[in-house]
Amino acid sequence: MLAESTLRFLKWGKSMPAENVIIKVENLTKVFPGIKALDNIQLSLRGGEVHALIGENGAGKSTLVKILTGVQPQTSGTVYLNGKPVTFRNAIEAQEAGIAAIHQEASMFPELSVAENIYMGHHLHKGKAGPLDWKKMKKETAELLKKVGLDINPSTLVKNLSVAQRHMIEITKALSMNAQVIIMDEPTSALTNREVEDLYRIIRGLKAEGKAIVFISHKFEEIFEICDYFTVMRDGQYIGEGSIKETSEDEIINMMIGRSIDCMYPEHEAKKGEVLLEVENLAQLGAFKNVSFKLHKGEILGFFGLVGAGRTEVMRTIFGIDEASEGTMKFKGVPYSPKSARDAMKMGMALVPEDRRKQGIVVHQSLTRNISLPSLAKLSSKFGVINSKSENDYVNKNGNEMEIKSAGYHVDVETLSGGNQQKVVLAKWLGTKPELLILDEPTRGIDVATKAAVHDFVAKIADQGVGVIVISSELPEVMGMSDRIVVMHEGKMTGIVEKKDATAESVMRYAIGGVK
């Protein structure tokens, strides 16, 4: 039964004025073999409005966006554009109709210039069928870059840009199409605080021009800062909608997951065992130096710092991906100097990387192949032949423990939502039974319910005696999960804070290098 607040939003949302509706979605349904991804979805996007599309990973948001942008056709239901029913056969038709999407994973051509990327698919010509007008495209690119606050030469190759700059180029491309509707999927995931403010400025400008903005984010502070209206989806269904000013974070969470989350972080009291990992004066030239700490069995050690602090680089060195230039390490009391990640895995370590798509999963392989990948040796005969029954039993056990939502373990990982992809990465390492688990930004880009599931998982394995290191850029998360917090600033350790002494102010003071 729906909560009273949900019912209120359903009723209130449907009575909203219809003027200036650019896109209206009615009873949209999408069925894949074995799964109904969308079930009678409703959505209205108005010009001059920033509309938050909210839901857990797997709620159907990505499928809805793919239909609106012509990537996939709907099974049934209707999309109206400016009052007329439309069906886009491909992405180009959607672009020509004025619908642009900026995806979480920037899809660009690194060997081409900024101008070439921005006008890819809609080049400007001299005359109707004349040669390409590169002079005009470069001039207009320069004007658009200025509009979004980027001081970049249009001839610069995209491969030479930062991740944040590439995201801003995606936004610039949408502006070049003069789109009526701009869909932004987790647009701030790779941006600094200053760049986020620049993005907000751009969004407000687009809103003032009468554009309809769809804003997809798992960060509630962003939704409440920049959005006017919201629609909530759950398990492929429309749950409700309403005005941001008339709701609260708790009410939206209740709509998202069908229940309230009283506490995002499970109760965890470290039952410290013996020292598992000891790091002394560890350094990597140009990345970090003088890093020293101890991790006990059963302890959750948090690592916090702002962009460029060197946290990820420290973990890559511990896991043998990069080589230390100075310092020593001991694992289980034995000197430890890995030459590769394979050495770390043999010792009983596991690393869930920051970029799950590029480093954590093989996107075009099945869930089965991904989950069993680190354990193929023990699932194979002495001749290297995989025992299918053993592999399936292994995958079912670990995949079910992580409660992965999919049409089956035979489907490719790329078909899953971001949160379920992260669960695949966790299931992959869970089966190796690690003694030390390193989690680098384990909840980045996933919804609130999946975050809670990850937090429960971390507490559970720590209670089993596993030593856990958690890197997070979200201060509430690292404070809520950790028994102790190592804080870094510009490649140096600035402090270690005990859980009982941790406050947002004390941790952040160390993070900005303010404590000597």
Side-chain angles (χ1 to χ4, degrees):
M1 185 172 179
L2 290 174
E4 181 181 346
S5 62
T6 304
L7 291 171
R8 173 166 63 85
F9 283 120
L10 279 165
K11 183 178 179 182
W12 194 88
K14 288 184 177 179
S15 65
M16 281 294 288
E19 62 263 21
N20 205 22
V21 173
I22 297 178
I23 282 186
K24 186 174 182 63
V25 171
E26 289 187 347
N27 304 318
L28 203 67
T29 297
K30 177 65 178 180
V31 179
F32 293 104
I35 188 170
K36 182 180 280 189
L38 298 179
D39 186 7
N40 291 315
I41 294 295
Q42 320 294 323
L43 180 70
S44 292
L45 304 178
R46 300 170 185 85
E49 181 179 86
V50 183
H51 195 121
L53 186 59
I54 304 172
E56 298 182 53
N57 291 103
K61 303 186 302 295
S62 295
T63 303
L64 175 56
V65 168
K66 288 176 181 177
I67 291 172
L68 293 178
T69 55
V71 176
Q72 291 177 348
Q74 65 263 38
T75 303
S76 62
T78 309
V79 177
Y80 295 92
L81 178 63
N82 296 319
K84 298 179 180 179
V86 293
T87 300
F88 301 125
R89 292 173 296 178
N90 51 56
I92 293 177
E93 287 189 358
Q95 288 179 10
E96 290 175 346
I99 300 173
I102 300 158
H103 299 286
Q104 183 179 359
E105 305 290 339
S107 53
M108 308 191 79
F109 298 92
E111 296 296 335
L112 299 182
S113 71
V114 169
E116 288 172 313
N117 272 275
I118 286 175
Y119 280 96
M120 182 64 66
H122 65 291
H123 294 101
L124 302 180
H125 295 263
K126 295 179 180 178
K128 287 187 177 181
L132 298 180
D133 193 341
W134 283 111
K135 183 177 180 180
K136 186 175 182 180
M137 282 187 276
K138 288 181 180 180
K139 180 183 177 182
E140 293 195 2
T141 295
E143 292 172 354
L144 290 168
L145 291 172
K146 186 176 180 180
K147 186 174 182 178
V148 300
L150 280 180
D151 184 16
I152 297 174
N153 189 310
S155 298
T156 302
L157 297 184
V158 164
K159 69 178 181 181
N160 296 324
L161 302 181
S162 68
V163 173
Q165 287 174 324
R166 294 187 190 194
H167 274 273
M168 297 303 281
I169 295 300
E170 292 272 25
I171 295 171
T172 308
K173 182 173 183 176
L175 298 181
S176 74
M177 300 175 188
N178 195 28
Q180 300 180 73
V181 179
I182 300 175
I183 301 169
M184 298 185 175
D185 187 358
E186 298 286 352
T188 67
S189 60
L191 304 183
T192 64
N193 290 338
R194 182 175 178 179
E195 289 163 342
V196 169
E197 288 301 320
D198 288 339
L199 176 63
Y200 288 169
R201 174 182 56 79
I202 294 166
I203 291 174
R204 292 186 180 107
L206 294 170
K207 176 181 168 181
E209 293 175 5
K211 312 290 187 185
I213 312 294
V214 178
F215 193 88
I216 302 173
S217 175
H218 295 302
K219 299 178 182 178
F220 284 103
E221 65 272 19
E222 295 179 354
I223 291 170
F224 281 87
E225 170 71 24
I226 199 65
C227 297
D228 305 300
Y229 200 75
F230 71 91
T231 293
V232 175
M233 298 173 63
R234 183 172 74 235
D235 295 330
Q237 297 182 325
Y238 166 88
I239 299 301
E241 58 186 273
S243 167
I244 289 292
K245 291 180 181 178
E246 300 289 332
T247 190
S248 68
E249 183 175 320
D250 288 343
E251 285 182 313
I252 291 179
I253 290 174
N254 189 25
M255 295 171 74
M256 286 173 62
I257 63 177
R259 64 188 190 279
S260 61
I261 293 183
D262 297 323
C263 183
M264 282 290 296
Y265 308 103
E267 289 293 329
H268 168 73
E269 186 175 344
K271 301 177 179 65
K272 285 187 181 181
E274 61 191 41
V275 174
L276 181 66
L277 175 68
E278 186 172 357
V279 175
E280 188 73 30
N281 295 321
L282 196 67
Q284 185 192 118
L285 197 62
F288 63 88
K289 62 182 179 180
N290 297 330
V291 171
S292 300
F293 65 88
K294 293 179 182 179
L295 172 69
H296 295 255
K297 291 183 177 181
E299 181 182 25
I300 302 174
L301 184 64
F303 265 72
F304 182 76
L306 304 178
V307 175
R311 303 163 303 165
T312 295
E313 289 78 6
V314 171
M315 298 308 141
R316 287 173 58 89
T317 302
I318 291 172
F319 200 65
I321 298 172
D322 299 326
E323 190 172 350
S325 56
E326 293 180 31
T328 59
M329 291 185 283
K330 289 182 180 179
F331 188 65
K332 295 187 289 188
V334 178
Y336 167 70
S337 182
K339 300 301 180 185
S340 67
R342 186 182 296 273
D343 290 346
M345 291 168 61
K346 286 180 179 178
M347 293 291 287
M349 297 185 184
L351 169 65
V352 174
E354 179 180 16
D355 190 333
R356 60 176 169 265
R357 284 189 63 84
K358 292 183 179 178
Q359 301 168 340
I361 55 176
V362 185
V363 292
H364 299 303
Q365 288 290 327
S366 67
L367 276 71
T368 295
R369 286 289 176 258
N370 272 272
I371 294 172
S372 65
L373 190 59
S375 305
L376 287 178
K378 68 180 182 181
L379 298 172
S380 304
S381 70
K382 63 180 180 179
F383 301 108
V385 179
I386 299 173
N387 184 314
S388 296
K389 183 180 184 306
S390 297
E391 183 183 37
N392 288 334
D393 290 345
Y394 174 90
V395 168
N396 284 324
K397 178 179 181 298
N398 294 295
N400 292 344
E401 189 163 341
M402 290 308 304
E403 298 181 350
I404 299 169
K405 294 180 181 178
S406 73
Y409 291 116
H410 63 283
V411 302
D412 285 357
V413 173
E414 67 177 339
T415 65
L416 304 186
S417 64
N420 283 301
Q421 288 179 355
Q422 186 72 332
K423 287 182 178 181
V424 169
V425 180
L426 292 171
K428 177 177 78 172
W429 291 115
L430 178 65
T432 67
K433 301 190 182 305
E435 295 182 71
L436 168 60
L437 177 62
I438 302 171
L439 301 163
D440 194 350
E441 301 287 3
T443 65
R444 173 175 288 174
I446 63 178
D447 60 84
V448 65
T450 308
K451 281 186 178 184
V454 171
H455 298 159
D456 284 337
F457 166 75
V458 172
K460 177 182 174 183
I461 62 169
D463 288 341
Q464 295 171 358
V466 176
V468 183
I469 297 177
V470 177
I471 298 175
S472 179
S473 297
E474 296 185 26
L475 185 52
E477 179 172 70
V478 80
M479 289 176 60
M481 293 181 65
S482 308
D483 299 307
R484 290 185 299 143
I485 303 169
V486 176
V487 190
M488 296 185 66
H489 172 72
E490 294 183 350
K492 299 178 183 177
M493 272 182 61
T494 49
I496 298 180
V497 185
E498 296 288 337
K499 185 169 188 172
K500 63 182 177 62
D501 301 322
T503 64
E505 292 77 12
S506 64
V507 175
M508 188 56 71
R509 195 176 296 121
Y510 280 115
I512 62 176
V515 178
K516 304 298 182 184

